[in-house]
């Protein structure tokens, strides 16, 4: 039996202000989303695996400076870039991830190297980088990751932080990031936070998920969110594949990605019901964001509780659907 | 309503060879386990929280050179010590973790600092260390973490690895660690792998879980297992608290700790049933190890699929139960 391949992508969820997000910007982002869909969906049409498709889509995101992953990663408090990524193959439940790596051109390909060429699931920091260099994974110099608008974001967030809130404060751990910071997310269509991801269903009916991020602007070096955590920001098995974006800490405490799959498995919920329940659980914990998910029949959901989420869906070569704001047409 | 407090601890699961594990060693380990129980249970009797008790028990493990956490941490391939720890408060579902940190005297207290004094859940590597130094967390010099028998383990594993298997090989990602290495675990009552953990129920009926490890002897620097991953090696909510030990990669791919809680929540299984199902799922994925868990009625399970697991349970001041091998009495 040959399934119709499906690819769903997201480029981050947040407050995408209509006031600053001009029609020009919408056009630019829509075009970028279509390029990502094309990169991943053409692989599926050629009969490649869901895993390969998800890696290609996320690599395309990482190569595009508009999104907070790879080249377009945000700056840490110290002006560095620390990136996280993970992926999971639903058929084998093999998984790989990297966290807090610097100068890695395509973190999602690094995650794949951990999965395929080590006995491990997660490698972090300099140890991960040493392993990746041995494996011949591509690195890029600091300048590659420099973008003027990300640096401007860092300065804006630091100025705001100095006025309003210290990231060192004794925060209530049940809260997400400090108040006020989310408001800046995506102003001007750019992301203070943000994550990219892809979920794919291939012709053989296999599912895969991939997630990649540069983290939060002005984050403490060493902070790791949900993106590289299997079961939090990424999961795939024989029932579903999911990739998340938003306030990572809430996704981690819920193990949201794994929860979606277990709701379907244990409660018999369909993808729609399970997704709705997970979004509600996220909100109850004070989390904001969204996720994309596919089931093995190719049904897709793209829920979020923010103003917008960069997203796209492809079910056939001649229909690459993309959307940004909530009011845009529902992709299905 | 005042609940009877309960504390369950583990000091790692593996092949604890009876041939090498002499009665003297059994006595030594049993005494150490009782000391850990005492440290955590006395806090519960005084009315302190489940979280405080779990942190005290795990800190006692970390201070004891017999167990693979804190002071007794194993050596990485490069002769360094990289430690991971996590904890979760069931009542608030607040969580904190550190991964790949060096020279931190009590990693579980570092995890608690991340939970209580940052908006984050997980911090790794040098970034985490900088944050911890700012917070006044205790560090210790390299010599503090030096133990002759761990260094001998490193040399033995490296000699074996040179003969038998390269950790750089293109491993089947569905496998755990390379064949042969698990056989060495705990020979002589010492651990090549191994993790420590505690789960507690306090007088107010709150649950908490804590997990800490030095990882695997001869591990690639940067490798992170399940111990610092909320939902994999540690989880707590209003139904259960769980801490895991074993081949971390399998626990991560299953999100085993979160799975236990969701089996109870979604399937209505009791702790015993959920624990049995999780142990079976672990075995199906080729994973070895075990876990300890409590429910809010104070029922305890301590299942494992290895030859032994260092473990202990306290339900009253005059009955600190400990066991090592499978044939020992069942703790309950």
């Amino acid at each position: 039996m040959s399934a119709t391949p499906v690819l769903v992508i997201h480029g981050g969820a947040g407050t995408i202000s209509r006031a600053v997000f001009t029609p020009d910007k919408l056009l630019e982002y829509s075009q970028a989303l279509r390029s990502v869909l094309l990169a991943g969906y053409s692989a599926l049409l050629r009969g490649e695996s869901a895993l390969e498709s998800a890696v290609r889509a996320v690599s395309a995101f990482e190569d595009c400076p508009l999104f907070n992953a790879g080249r377009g990663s945000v700056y840490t408090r110290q002006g560095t870039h620390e990136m996280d990524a993970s992926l999971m193959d639903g058929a084998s439940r093999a998984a790989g991830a990297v966290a807090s790596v610097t100068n890695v051109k395509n973190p999602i390909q690094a995650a794949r190297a951990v999965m395929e060429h080590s006995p491990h699931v997660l490698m972090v920091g300099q140890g991960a980088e040493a392993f990746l260099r041995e494996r011949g994974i591509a690195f890029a110099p600091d300048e590659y990751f420099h973008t003027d608008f990300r640096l401007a974001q860092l300065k804006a967030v630091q100025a705001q932080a100095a006025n309003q809130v210290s990231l060192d404060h004794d925060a209530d751990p049940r809260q997400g990031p400090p108040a006020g910071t989310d408001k800046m997310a995506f102003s001007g269509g750019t992301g203070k936070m943000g994550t990219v991801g892809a979920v794919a269903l291939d012709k053989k009916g296999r599912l895969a998920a991939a997630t990649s991020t540069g983290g939060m602007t002005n984050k403490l070096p060493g902070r790791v969110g949900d993106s590289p955590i299997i079961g939090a920001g990424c999961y795939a098995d024989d029932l579903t594949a999911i990739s998340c974006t938003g306030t990572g800490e809430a996704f981690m405490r819920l193990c949201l990605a794994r929860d979606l799959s277990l709701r379907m498995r244990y409660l018999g919920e369909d993808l729609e019901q399970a997704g709705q329940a997970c979004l509600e659980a996220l909100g109850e914990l004070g989390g904001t964001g969204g996720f994309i998910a596919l089931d093995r029949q190719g049904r897709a959901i793209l829920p979020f509780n923010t103003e917008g989420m960069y997203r796209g869906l492809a079910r056939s070569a001649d229909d690459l659907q993309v959307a940004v704001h909530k009011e845009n047409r529902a992709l299905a």
Side-chain angles (χ1 to χ4, degrees), chain A:
Chain A
M1 187 195 88
S2 181
T4 303
V6 187
L7 176 68
V8 189
I9 60 167
H10 72 80
T15 308
I16 304 173
S17 166
R18 283 195 170 280
V20 198
F21 202 77
T22 59
D24 263 13
K25 276 198 186 292
L26 182 60
L27 204 65
E28 187 183 12
Y29 275 83
S30 297
Q31 191 57 22
L33 289 168
R34 282 199 185 82
S35 295
V36 170
L37 279 174
L38 184 67
Y41 200 68
S42 59
L44 288 176
L45 289 176
R46 287 194 304 272
E48 298 200 56
S49 70
L51 187 76
E52 179 68 27
S53 168
V55 168
R56 284 179 187 242
V58 170
S59 296
F61 269 128
E62 289 173 339
D63 293 342
C64 173
L66 295 177
F67 301 97
N68 178 18
R71 187 172 182 190
S73 290
V74 298
Y75 285 86
T76 68
R77 183 189 291 205
Q78 304 195 327
T80 58
H81 297 91
E82 287 186 358
M83 297 168 287
D84 310 324
S86 66
L87 81 184
M88 189 161 186
D89 177 43
S92 65
R93 281 187 294 174
V98 291
S100 202
V101 294
T102 56
N103 297 97
V104 174
K105 187 166 177 289
N106 288 104
I108 198 65
Q109 294 172 22
R112 188 177 190 169
V114 171
M115 177 178 103
E116 295 184 343
H117 301 294
S118 89
H120 303 313
V121 167
L122 172 61
M123 295 192 69
V124 308
Q126 294 175 348
E129 290 161 23
F131 166 78
L132 296 169
R133 286 185 196 278
E134 272 183 45
R135 293 295 323 171
I137 293 292
F139 280 67
D142 290 347
E143 309 85 77
Y144 176 79
F145 299 94
H146 172 78
T147 39
D148 288 333
F149 76 96
R150 296 287 185 209
L151 195 58
Q153 280 180 337
L154 175 66
K155 287 174 181 167
V157 171
Q158 287 182 332
Q160 188 199 39
N163 290 335
Q164 193 173 354
V165 53
S166 161
L167 279 170
D168 285 332
H169 72 317
D170 289 356
D172 180 340
R174 287 160 299 185
Q175 302 291 333
T181 53
D182 187 54
K183 290 275 162 50
M184 299 202 51
F186 292 89
S187 59
T190 62
K192 185 204 146 282
M193 309 203 325
T195 299
V196 308
V199 293
L201 173 71
D202 66 26
K203 287 184 178 175
K204 293 186 179 164
R206 294 170 300 191
L207 291 157
T211 305
S212 181
T213 188
M216 293 163 57
T217 293
N218 197 38
K219 71 179 174 185
L220 290 178
R223 178 265 183 178
V224 173
D226 63 314
S227 300
I229 307 298
I230 300 301
C234 178
Y235 204 77
D237 57 18
D238 56 336
L239 293 183
T240 186
I242 169 172
S243 171
C244 304
T245 172
T247 47
E249 281 71 13
F251 287 84
M252 294 166 89
R253 291 162 58 203
L254 291 167
C255 304
L256 192 140
R258 180 62 164 145
D259 193 355
L260 184 87
S261 127
L262 291 181
R263 283 190 161 272
M264 295 173 69
R265 192 175 304 276
Y266 295 159
L267 295 176
E269 292 182 350
D270 65 22
L271 184 67
E272 187 79 37
Q273 294 167 322
Q276 187 57 38
C278 283
L279 196 70
E280 281 167 20
L282 179 70
E284 282 164 19
L285 220 59
T288 61
F291 51 87
I292 54 173
L294 272 175
D295 68 15
R296 59 185 171 188
Q297 284 78 37
R299 283 181 289 253
I301 56 170
L302 305 86
F304 52 97
N305 65 10
T306 49
E307 198 179 323
M309 179 166 79
Y310 299 108
R311 58 202 189 275
L313 184 150
R315 290 190 183 280
S316 71
D318 60 355
D319 187 20
L320 305 183
Q321 308 174 43
V322 301
V324 174
H325 290 99
K326 205 153 203 151
E327 307 74 28
N328 294 149
R329 66 171 172 168
L331 312 186

